[in-house]
Amino acid sequence: PANPADALPKRIKDGGRYVITGGVGGIGLELARYLGTGAKAKVALIGRSKFPGGAEWDVVLAKHPNSRTAHAIQVIREIEAAGGEVLILTADVANKRALAAAIEKILSEFGGVDGVFHGAGIMDDAPMLGKSLEDTHNVLAPKVAGGENLSALLPDGELDFFAVFSLCGIN
C-alpha cells in the first residue's frame, strides 16, 4: 500500500486550473477528485460523450444510481463540496475546431490553464497487428491528433506541465 503524500506535488497549485481530457472516465475522474478536493482546483473535463446538465443530475441518480454517470455526478459534487470547481465540456480532442471551442470556454471560465492531463483515448483491446489501418487510426487519433491539437491551442510557455497518459491498454 502507498501512503498518501502530505503535500501537493510541486507543479500542482492550490486553486490551480487544470484540463483533463478523457472526460469523466475512471482515471480522469479520480484525478479530478484529487485535484478538486486536495488543491481546491478548477478542473475542466473534456470528453466526446455528452454529459447530463446539472438540472438532470437528481433524476439520473434516482433512476440509475449504480451507473458510471451517477458515480461521476457524486464525485463532481464531492469536488464542489470541498471547494473545487468542475467544468464539463463535450469535444473530440482529435477535432481541432471542437477542441478550440472547448479551450476557449475554459479560458473564459477559468481565466487560464496551469496544466493539462491528456488522457483521452479509445480502448480497443486487440493486438495492433490485427487491426485494419482505419481501426489503428481510430485508436491513435485521440492521443496523437489530440495531443497535437492541445499543443497548438495551448502554446509553449503557458503551462506548468503537459502530462500524457499512455496507451497501455493496447497490446
Side-chain angles (χ1 to χ4, degrees):
N3 295 323
D6 293 331
L8 293 171
K10 290 179 186 177
R11 293 185 190 255
I12 301 296
K13 297 176 181 172
D14 199 32
R17 305 155 304 177
Y18 302 103
V19 173
I20 302 173
T21 67
V24 292
I27 293 173
L29 195 58
E30 287 307 310
L31 184 55
R33 181 194 321 244
Y34 172 77
L35 295 167
T37 61
K40 294 181 178 38
K42 295 178 179 181
V43 182
L45 302 172
I46 301 175
R48 284 184 321 235
S49 302
K50 184 166 175 21
F51 196 79
E56 302 170 61
W57 289 4
D58 288 334
V59 173
V60 171
L61 290 170
K63 288 186 176 181
H64 309 285
N66 298 317
S67 68
R68 288 181 58 190
T69 303
H71 174 69
I73 291 167
Q74 292 165 344
V75 171
I76 292 164
R77 286 183 169 171
E78 179 185 341
I79 292 167
E80 292 172 344
E85 186 178 330
V86 180
L87 179 62
I88 302 170
L89 300 162
T90 304
D92 180 347
V93 295
N95 178 325
K96 192 172 184 179
R97 179 176 287 147
L99 183 59
I103 296 294
E104 186 176 312
K105 175 79 170 166
I106 294 164
L107 295 174
S108 170
E109 295 279 326
F110 292 173
V113 173
D114 296 310
V116 173
F117 296 90
H118 182 34
I122 295 174
M123 285 300 295
D124 187 359
D125 289 335
M128 290 297 280
L129 290 174
K131 293 184 186 306
S132 68
L133 183 58
E134 181 180 351
D135 288 344
T136 301
H137 283 282
N138 288 337
V139 169
L140 295 176
K143 286 292 180 222
V144 179
E148 289 175 343
N149 291 339
L150 284 163
S151 179
L153 294 166
L154 298 164
D156 289 343
E158 292 187 6
L159 301 174
D160 294 334
F161 63 87
F162 187 111
V164 179
F165 288 76
S166 73
L167 293 166
C168 60
I170 295 177
N171 299 329

